[in-house]
Each structure stands twice: as structure tokens, then as C-alpha cells.
Amino acid sequence: MDQIVSEKHGVVGGYVPERPDWTIAQDWQAYSSEEHGVWRTLFERQVALMPGRACQAYMDGLRDLPIDADTIPDFEKLSDVLMRRTGWQVVAVPGMVPNDVFFDHLANRRFPAGQFIRKAHELDYLQEPDVFHDVFGHVPMMMNPVMADFMQAYGEGGLRADRLGELDRLARLYWYTVEFGLVEEAGALRIFGAGILSSFSETRFALEDASPNRIGFDLRRVMRTLYRIDDFQESYFVLPSIDSLLDFARTDFAPIYDELHNTRDLAAAEVIEGDRVFTRGTGERTR
Ligand SMILES: [Fe+2]
């Protein structure tokens, strides 16, 4: 599941959930062989890109989970392993869910994952996060204890930010870390964001293309930065380590929201004074 944009949560065309927490049965037996085949296609082309691009925590998580090419993973089996490692479980949802429902799941260490899989003719197109994005992209990182704590804190912070009317700023933190984050490892850039790791073309674009900026992560700066929902990102932010997420899990953002009230939003492609620039993008993709 995702927080693609805060406004999109809850806009699930007239859908009325059976349960108040919007969960559904994964109904693993009901996946067709075509659906398992789509998973295999996505899995095989993506896993080949991971060495040297995905961060170590992701590689470790993927190795230790019951995720392989053969079938769409069974959420119960994922949860058995995850629960023992970081106390998280994976629950099935039909697609986007309302913000408060999403945050409440995270705050209780439940990761809501899309139950459906995209069609074979739209391998690279995705209106809503499906099981490949959610499970292949997100779940391996949930095996990391720091990410596990960060995600729970994000859920709790989301409920608070919603009350304070500051969801946009908090959503930018999520966007530029959990979805599109890069991290420095042994002097090289690696990917930990699920939005990149589940995308065949953005995996290479994020690290290797000349177009986007790659900028050292700064919390306040990121909370001011708009993002693209319709294309690859124009800027990626680089954490010094996955462990640095722990600082944010322990931060009360309320004073930071106040501090940022008199600042302007930054365009997604903008580079500002004080940025630690790893790569200044040419911007050619979006020009
Ligand atoms: Fe996501």
C-alpha cells in the first residue's frame, strides 16, 4: 500500500469496505496462472537489476523472505517471517485506502498491501499500488529494524499531522524516503525506496541517468519539496545511512511544521543554496 498522494487516499470510486480497516482476504488460492505469470515476469526482470543498485538492507530482506519468481507471495507466509524479525505483518487491501486507515495500520505494525496484480499488457503502468509494488518494493525493507520502527512512527505521525493540517509536509518525507529514497553505502549510491525498486526503468534512471538531481537528505528541505506523481522524480535525496531514519522516528515534527510556515515550497527540480549536491541533473527528461 502506498501513500502516493495524500489526496488520493479514500478516492476509491464508490467502494464500500466490508471491514472498517479496509482489509480483505488475500485469497491466495484464487490467483490465476496468468497472474502468477505476471508476477514471474516482473520479478525476474527486476531482481536482475538489484545487485549493485539496491541497498544491503533490501538485499538481506529479500533473501530472508518467502518471495520468489514462482508465485505471488502468500501474505501469511510473509507475515510469519516478518513477525519474528520485526513484529510486522502484511495485510491485504483492495487498493488505496483512506489516510486515517493507512496510518492506523502502520501505527500498529501492519503493512497494507494491494491484493491485486497489474495486467500483463501494463507491466510499467500503475494507477494504484499492486502486490508487486507493495510486496517486492516495500516488504523486504520492513525486515530491517530501523525501517520497521520508522514506518510505525510514520503511522503515528500521520495521525498527528492529519489533525494539524500538515499532512502534505509529512507525505513529502515518506515520498522521498520510503518511496524514492537513495542511501550512501561504501561511497556509492544505492536504492531503498520502494517506488524505485519496483520500477524497471526508474531503477536505472534514479542511479544512472543524467537528468535528475541527487541531493543530500535534509529533513526541513525535503518537507518543503514538491514531488512528481506522473513521471520519474526530478530530484532524489540521499540518506547517509538507513540507520539515520531512526532520528526521524524519534522526532516530534510539530515544531518543525511551525518553523516551516513562512517558507516557500520548492519545485521538484530546484537546487538551493546549502544543498549537498551529489549530482546536478541536466533536467533533460522533463524539459
Ligand atoms: Fe508504495
Side-chain angles (χ1 to χ4, degrees), residues 200-252:
F200 184 62
S201 32
E202 193 158 1
T203 290
R204 284 171 300 187
F205 178 86
L207 289 182
E208 291 144 40
D209 202 276
S211 188
N213 302 314
R214 299 176 186 89
I215 300 170
F217 191 93
D218 177 88
L219 178 65
R220 288 163 178 78
R221 198 263 192 239
V222 164
M223 283 188 162
R224 294 171 58 194
T225 308
L226 303 169
Y227 53 78
R228 298 292 299 253
I229 59 164
D230 57 341
D231 199 352
F232 298 160
Q233 300 308 301
E234 295 177 276
S235 295
Y236 297 91
F237 291 91
V238 182
L239 283 178
S241 66
I242 296 297
D243 285 355
S244 61
L245 284 173
L246 208 53
D247 296 340
F248 309 135
R250 292 170 176 159
T251 301
D252 175 10

